[in-house]
Amino acid sequence: MRRDILDSMSSSGLDEFLTACANLKNCKYVLAENRIAALLKTIADNRQLYSMFSAALYGFDYNQTFSESIVGRSFVLPSEPKTAAALVFRILLSIDSGVMPLQKFLQAYFSGDARNEAYAINESFARFTLEIVTPFETYCKMLYAQMLSSPTGVFGEDTLAQNYELDNSKFNEELKADALNALVTLADIAEQTIGNIVDRDEFIECVSGLQRALRADDGDNIVSSFFGVKFAVAYFFGSSESVSAIFKKIEYDITHLSK
């Protein structure tokens, strides 16, 4: 992220983040995805939290750490606070973007009482909040305190911003790849469902325009093409929850791409 954007973020404390963690821990499964999105927003909107996670993610190997955390049919967080915080952050990001559906993650590693499906998923979610979200909150408070007490050390703000700049291109490529895959899915759906050939071609051209802009890293055209896709989705698929979910992924990716 550009330094001027980083400097424009709020530098307030972590009260909103802690409130978002509490809201996530205290909700039922049906509200979980909305609460995860709200939690991630508190990080994106807070300069110090954003810098803290940027440092934690620098050099972090998500796939390897995730694999090492699988113990049988359970999921056990690493004992090192920074590694655990980075892992949970990436898990929440994957859930929010739709890359890893929350239900499948819960069923794989936090399975509950199979006798009652509704009860089982809420029991699994309760285990998830106890074993994942609660320690995540604790580790983040610890790291935040370390960051504030060490203005020139590993959690110094200038170092954090610099580290993020170094690793940012990789994160952007992941966002671009996710958005491009979702756009291919949108085009496929349009091919199958929009009967009028003129309307179909119009929709696919909107999608293609955003694809071209993303591949070219054309910031201005990414924004304008994105809004074209947004209006096309609303016009042709306004009542489709599945298409809305795909568009939500694209919106997340575009919003978080550095310019």
Side-chain angles (χ1 to χ4, degrees), residues 8-70:
S8 72
M9 292 179 178
S10 167
S11 59
S12 61
L14 74 166
D15 289 349
E16 290 184 1
F17 171 78
L18 296 178
T19 298
C21 286
N23 290 340
L24 177 58
K25 291 190 296 182
N26 295 328
C27 77
K28 296 295 186 182
Y29 166 77
V30 68
L31 296 175
E33 292 184 356
N34 289 337
R35 298 293 167 83
I36 288 172
L39 190 156
L40 291 172
K41 186 176 187 301
T42 67
I43 296 170
D45 289 346
N46 186 288
R47 177 182 177 182
Q48 292 170 326
L49 284 172
Y50 194 94
S51 295
M52 184 184 81
F53 280 103
S54 296
L57 290 167
Y58 181 68
F60 172 70
D61 191 328
Y62 173 59
N63 292 329
Q64 180 178 337
T65 308
F66 188 98
S67 298
E68 292 173 350
S69 299
I70 300 172

Side-chain angles (χ1 to χ4, degrees), residues 38 50 55 64 87 94 111-112 119 125 128 143 145 161 178 185 218 224 235-237:
Y50 194 94
Q64 180 178 337
L87 176 61
S94 294
S111 56
Y119 177 80
F125 178 67
F128 168 76
L143 294 173
D178 185 58
T185 302
D218 187 342
S224 59
Y235 182 80
F236 290 108
F237 298 102

